Amino acid sequence: MARPNDAVGALLLEYADLLVMTGGQAFKARAYEKAAKAVSGHHADISTLDLKQLEEIPNVGKSTAAKIKEFIQTGEIADLEKMRKKLPSGLRTLMAIPGMGPQKAVTLHRELGISSIEELVAAIEAGKLEELKGFGPKTSEKILHGIELLRNDTGRVLINAAMDVAEEIIADLKKVPGTLRITYAGSLRRMKESIGDVDILAAAEDSSALMEKFAKTPLSEVIVKGPSKTSIRTARGFQVDLRVVPEKSWGAALMYFTGSKEHSVALRTKCVHKGLKLSEYGLYRVETDELLASDTEEAVYKQLGLPWIPPTLREDRGELDKPLPKLVEEKDLKGDLHTHTNLTDGVAPLEKMVEAARKRGYSYYAVTDHAKNLPMQRMTDEKMLAQREQVRALDAGKMTLLHGSELNIDPDGEVDWDHDFLSGFDITVASVHSHFTQSSKEMTRRLITAIENPYVNIIGHLTTRLIGRRQPIDADFDAVFEAAGATGTAIEINSFPDRLDVNDELILRAKRHNVKFSIDSDAHATGHLNVMRYGIGIAQRGWLTPDDVINTWSLTKLRKFVASKR
């Protein structure tokens, strides 16, 4: 059920990890990591490509293309299966711990014979890890925290994985005769950052054909099947529920199965005061059992004296009492201000990234490759200046190209270049890429120092979290937001599904300090430009309007925003 590009990307990443763990050459592992990123971000469905077309994907060579084709044809990669068998199964279990890399897992197994989480916990409690080079007290704390995260895993998946499955199933079920309406509901419709079960709602007068088709979804097993609800479990292990209702109940059912629970409870409380009752079948008057509304959400809300409430706001955060904002939408975005090319860790050349952005209809587009203080990116002053000339010379049609950089916020809050060099950029993003375990006081000072730099325009992925893999940094975010609001520094909403950073709760806090935001893709491949929909969803959950988001502004207004800080 996973999108083939994502499934193959995950396998190639695993192959890279296993290369490291079995003593393979580091450059080969790095090549497979790049290939994984390129395949995941490729715009076309790789299952539809022939061998030659696969080889044309950036960073995918003949050997990698052959492995991809093998997987598409057989469902596995023989070389990967062989490598899996070379390692004790416990090592792969250790690799599942957030923050545990392949080299650490190998070291623990080689030096201490650890091949299970239980053995690892016992070794930490006995102080054995501190005897190993590179494993200090902080490392042990981080590993224990990672084990806690793993054990508390609720089985939720990233929103893009859930969306891929939902849209694929919906597209298939739309073709079933008698399907009148169909969409996804639940937390996916509310654009939560991670999803438990995928809820799909359909309207039909006879549900049998829909249920039969749904039960035969490829690579899945049926959990329960009935006339009104059928549940399946996909090959990736998460549950998809299909509910079918009569068309006359569509609006009430869509409200009910969208939630949230808290929003629904607040609505029912409102109903009680009005002598009404609300269910998935409709809104009724209690005394007479008269049906007042059911066919559309708008009609149900209207009967309750409310405007239609966007799903992203249905969290009982005052949406029943406050005036509703005109929420920012994807169509409002005029550009993307955080993207990468293959000059650093992207996989597509500048020309390809620009062309993909131009096709999205943007008015402007910023190229922001990594700066020089991140050694693995091998950036130099000369390379950055050469790229600037390339950007200036490139014809992007009606779209204006902006040359920028994603600067590194060093432990003391300083960034890569001095003011003279920074003044040559059209716009900059500054992000924390290291030293994630600084104290709250140190991290707060670090971020504020960067924010006060007159040449830092946007703070990228503020909390540095990777959902399910890395916890957010510890900082006084209200103090950070106060500084950002005072200096005219935007806070990024990073749209990449494993980041979605900052989240909706921090957005709501930041708004109190008059902070402006930038919704960016952080794209490393052309296909990644499409993740903006997830950043928009988080922005809506934070009640943001177009005026709150700097890349919905005209280029003239954006340039004034940048200039006002310098």
Side-chain angles (χ1 to χ4, degrees):
M1 289 305 306
R3 180 173 174 260
N5 300 43
D6 295 330
V8 171
L11 290 175
L12 293 176
L13 275 179
E14 182 184 355
Y15 194 79
D17 285 341
L18 293 182
L19 274 173
V20 174
M21 296 172 82
T22 54
Q25 293 172 307
F27 78 90
K28 283 188 176 180
R30 180 63 177 155
Y32 278 105
E33 287 176 5
K34 287 185 175 181
K37 193 178 290 185
V39 169
S40 297
H42 193 60
H43 64 279
D45 182 340
I46 59 168
S47 66
T48 66
L49 305 182
D50 60 27
L51 200 58
K52 184 179 179 182
Q53 290 170 316
L54 289 170
E55 290 174 12
E56 290 172 353
I57 299 174
N59 293 312
V60 173
K62 288 185 178 181
S63 174
T64 306
K67 287 180 174 63
I68 295 171
K69 200 65 181 174
E70 179 188 0
F71 175 78
I72 292 168
Q73 292 173 344
T74 69
E76 65 176 35
I77 299 173
D79 285 352
L80 176 60
E81 294 302 321
K82 289 177 184 176
M83 292 182 71
R84 284 172 171 172
K85 291 175 182 177
K86 287 182 181 179
L87 294 169
S89 59
L91 272 185
R92 294 179 62 200
T93 302
L94 296 183
M95 281 289 296
I97 300 171
M100 175 72 75
Q103 291 178 328
K104 277 189 169 63
V106 168
T107 300
L108 291 171
H109 180 71
R110 184 182 65 241
E111 300 294 331
L112 300 176
I114 293 172
S115 58
S116 72
I117 290 177
E118 290 72 21
E119 291 172 349
L120 177 55
V121 171
I124 291 172
E125 290 176 347
K128 292 182 179 179
L129 264 65
E130 295 178 27
E131 300 171 5
L132 299 178
K133 185 178 180 181
F135 288 82
K138 282 192 174 182
T139 303
S140 295
E141 288 178 18
K142 286 172 65 177
I143 291 174
L144 285 174
H145 184 64
I147 292 170
E148 182 183 356
L149 289 176
L150 185 64
R151 286 174 169 169
N152 292 334
D153 184 8
T154 59
R156 297 180 72 84
V157 298
L158 297 180
I159 187 172
N160 63 319
M163 188 68 78
D164 285 345
V165 169
E167 291 184 334
E168 183 179 342
I169 290 175
I170 288 170
D172 207 26
L173 296 182
K174 272 184 179 179
K175 303 170 187 175
V176 176
T179 303
L180 302 174
R181 297 188 183 193
I182 187 166
T183 190
Y184 50 82
S187 55
L188 185 57
R189 188 170 180 234
R190 302 197 319 275
M191 298 299 284
K192 290 272 287 184
E193 63 193 35
S194 64
I195 311 298
D197 300 338
V198 173
D199 297 295
I200 297 176
L201 182 69
E205 296 312 313
D206 182 355
S207 67
S208 56
L210 268 169
M211 293 306 190
E212 201 62 37
K213 179 70 172 176
F214 180 61
K216 294 178 179 177
T217 299
L219 301 177
S220 67
E221 61 173 323
V222 176
I223 301 170
V224 63
K225 184 181 178 206
S228 60
K229 177 184 176 182
T230 294
S231 299
I232 64 172
R233 182 172 289 107
T234 72
R236 297 185 67 183
F238 59 95
Q239 185 171 318
V240 183
D241 299 329
L242 171 65
R243 293 176 174 85
V244 181
V245 299
E247 190 173 23
K248 65 181 180 181
S249 300
W250 175 258
L254 187 56
M255 284 179 65
Y256 183 86
F257 292 115
T258 294
S260 65
K261 178 182 176 181
E262 293 78 9
H263 178 78
S264 298
V265 168
L267 279 177
R268 290 196 184 95
T269 301
K270 197 174 187 71
C271 287
V272 168
H273 295 313
K274 291 177 173 284
L276 306 174
K277 60 179 180 179
L278 179 62
S279 72
E280 64 265 46
Y281 303 107
L283 180 67
Y284 297 85
R285 198 175 301 281
V286 173
E287 287 186 2
T288 62
D289 212 30
E290 174 192 0
L291 177 63
L292 300 176
S294 64
D295 58 337
T296 68
E297 288 188 318
E298 289 83 354
V300 176
Y301 277 117
K302 185 176 181 180
Q303 283 289 340
L304 290 171
L306 296 167
W308 178 77
I309 298 175
T312 45
L313 297 187
R314 299 181 195 178
E315 299 292 345
D316 193 25
R317 291 171 171 168
E319 67 271 15
L320 301 187
D321 307 308
K322 299 177 184 176
L324 299 180
K326 179 188 179 300
L327 295 176
V328 63
E329 299 179 40
E330 192 168 3
K331 66 181 181 181
D332 296 320
L333 295 177
K334 290 186 169 58
D336 193 338
L337 301 177
H338 182 178
T339 69
H340 298 273
T341 75
N342 62 355
L343 182 63
T344 53
D345 62 345
V347 299
L350 173 66
E351 294 82 0
K352 293 281 188 184
M353 294 298 292
V354 169
E355 178 60 17
R358 189 187 63 77
K359 288 180 178 177
R360 290 180 62 83
Y362 287 146
S363 299
Y364 47 82
Y365 177 77
V367 179
T368 57
D369 274 313
H370 287 287
K372 66 178 183 179
N373 287 2
L374 206 60
M376 67 184 71
Q377 303 303 339
R378 299 178 180 175
M379 177 57 72
T380 65
D381 296 7
E382 292 74 22
K383 284 184 180 179
M384 188 58 81
L385 292 174
Q387 185 189 61
R388 183 173 300 165
E389 292 303 313
Q390 189 182 5
V391 168
R392 299 284 186 255
L394 191 60
D395 181 7
K398 295 180 180 179
M399 184 175 72
T400 300
L401 294 182
L402 304 175
H403 188 241
S405 178
E406 184 181 12
L407 308 171
N408 306 288
I409 302 177
D410 292 339
D412 59 1
E414 296 300 319
V415 295
D416 306 69
W417 286 293
D418 61 25
H419 288 186
D420 284 343
F421 196 95
L422 291 172
S423 66
F425 289 110
D426 296 312
I427 197 162
T428 65
V429 181
S431 310
V432 170
H433 292 114
S434 65
H435 297 82
F436 303 118
T437 58
Q438 284 183 310
S439 69
S440 178
K441 184 177 180 180
E442 290 171 325
M443 190 64 76
T444 303
R445 185 65 252 164
R446 176 183 185 180
L447 290 168
I448 291 176
T449 298
I451 285 169
E452 290 174 343
N453 187 311
Y455 293 95
V456 169
N457 308 120
I458 302 165
I459 299 296
H461 46 73
L462 174 67
T463 76
T464 79
R465 73 165 183 179
L466 293 171
I467 299 173
R469 291 188 290 142
R470 185 167 72 210
Q471 284 292 94
I473 56 173
D474 186 11
D476 180 349
F477 289 115
D478 285 306
V480 171
F481 296 144
E482 183 178 4
T487 58
T489 308
I491 298 294
E492 179 182 70
I493 300 171
N494 189 296
S495 301
F496 227 81
D498 64 352
R499 286 191 184 274
L500 296 179
D501 184 9
V502 291
N503 65 16
D504 52 329
E505 293 179 0
L506 286 175
I507 292 170
L508 290 167
R509 286 168 61 181
K511 276 175 64 71
R512 301 189 193 113
H513 298 280
N514 298 313
V515 169
K516 296 300 181 185
F517 300 85
S518 177
I519 304 173
D520 300 318
S521 69
D522 195 1
H524 287 66
T526 55
H528 294 161
L529 294 173
N530 299 323
V531 302
M532 287 293 227
R533 65 191 297 194
Y534 305 117
I536 287 289
I538 296 300
Q540 290 185 348
R541 290 178 58 79
W543 292 58
L544 294 189
T545 70
D547 188 55
D548 295 317
V549 180
I550 66 172
N551 51 322
T552 69
W553 299 351
S554 68
L555 180 59
T556 300
K557 185 175 180 181
L558 177 65
R559 288 193 188 279
K560 286 181 179 177
F561 175 80
V562 172
S564 66
K565 192 181 178 186
R566 296 185 174 183

